[in-house]
Amino acid sequence: MYLAFSVLVFSLLGSGHGSVIPTEACIRTLYVSDTALIDVAEHENCILQIDTDQNHILRFSLAHGEHFERAQEFVSIYDGIDEDSPIIRLENQIRHKVGLTHAELIDSVYTTNSVAHLRLKKKPTLSLKLKIEKAVYCPFNLGSESQCGRVVDANSCYCATFTKRDQANQTTYCIDNGMKLLSIQDLNEEEKLYAAWDTLVYFWTSASYNTTSGAWRWESTMENIYPGYTNWAPFEPNNTLNDGDCMAMKNGWYDDPCVNLYDAICELQPEDVPSSTTPSYYTNSDPAFTSFSTFSSQD
Ligand SMILES: *[C@@H]1O[C@H](CO)[C@@H](O)[C@H](O)[C@H]1NC(C)=O
Ligand SMILES: *[C@@H]1O[C@H](CO)[C@@H](O)[C@H](O)[C@H]1NC(C)=O
Ligand SMILES: *[C@@H]1O[C@H](CO)[C@@H](O)[C@H](O)[C@H]1NC(C)=O
């Protein structure tokens, strides 16, 4: 505990730019494994450093789904660990052209890296609980003829490419961009993708048919499609005798030759990128200070 604290102080002071840490301040580090809830009022006069693993970013929202403006009145969130790092404000957040119908997206802010720090500006009179979750970074696009958005939920990212390639090359395209060719989990996900992009053109997914085993599989996750969610169009699949059949979606699923040239959708889920298995924890300079927070790993 002492060691962790020393390292933190060193890194804060060592980050330079003349930022002064008030000597009376308590310094606490919160490592977010998945989700954490914190009560803002309990951090008065403290600097709270929030970390997640380096492959993820952090998303802040209010625990009860209130508008994030309420939080900005009481707490400043810095994108980084020293005072000179920019303050993250709702109005400066990336607004994706797709996925905006999601009310919760507007009610949260995202960091650009895996560290943030929090300072209380004013003690809230009513309880103010911040929800902190790890998320993946989501750019506007992956270059020309593509578009990204937090289309399905607030912590993942999807990118559509409107350059037609065969299925193997779309797989490579997604991997080259640090993502995976789409695997569809359920109807909700599929419907949100159609709502964001299109139901009139084919998009390659990662599914393909193995003629030896006779099994359809999501190649990106190596999971067999059966038993599980399916959404074949009427009379599909109808061509599985051909070796190397792949699956494209267009308001339903179609098996088509993998060499066909189609658009594609890449995805990145928080669990797709390597992360530490360390559970959420606090370190702080005050050993008496252990009971102020509540965690939940799933909600
Ligand atoms: C697929 O990628 C290979 C290797 O980069 C390239 O030679 C080929 O032209 C590409 N095919 C399509 C259809 O884009
Ligand atoms: C197809 O299935 C067979 C039998 O299960 C397996 O040996 C082979 O590796 C599979 N091929 C691919 C490309 O996954
Ligand atoms: C499979 O169905 C599609 C239309 O859903 C059709 O265009 C295609 O020719 C059919 N393939 C075979 C082998 O019947």
Side-chain angles (χ1 to χ4, degrees), residues 210-213 217 219:
N210 182 327
T211 46
T212 312
S213 65
R217 190 167 82 144
E219 296 302 330

Side-chain angles (χ1 to χ4, degrees), residues 165-166 169 261:
R165 301 179 184 89
D166 61 29
N169 282 4
L261 305 182

Side-chain angles (χ1 to χ4, degrees), residues 24 26 41 50 56 59 75-76 84 87 102 108 113 121 135 155 164-165 183 185 216 219 222 246 285:
E24 73 277 16
C26 56
I50 320 280
H56 290 93
R59 169 178 182 250
V75 64
S76 297
D84 299 328
I87 297 182
H102 237 307
S108 58
N113 60 51
K121 289 198 279 198
N155 299 343
K164 296 185 195 312
R165 301 179 184 89
S183 302
Q185 300 306 305
W216 279 96
E219 296 302 330
M222 314 269 258
C246 290
S285 53

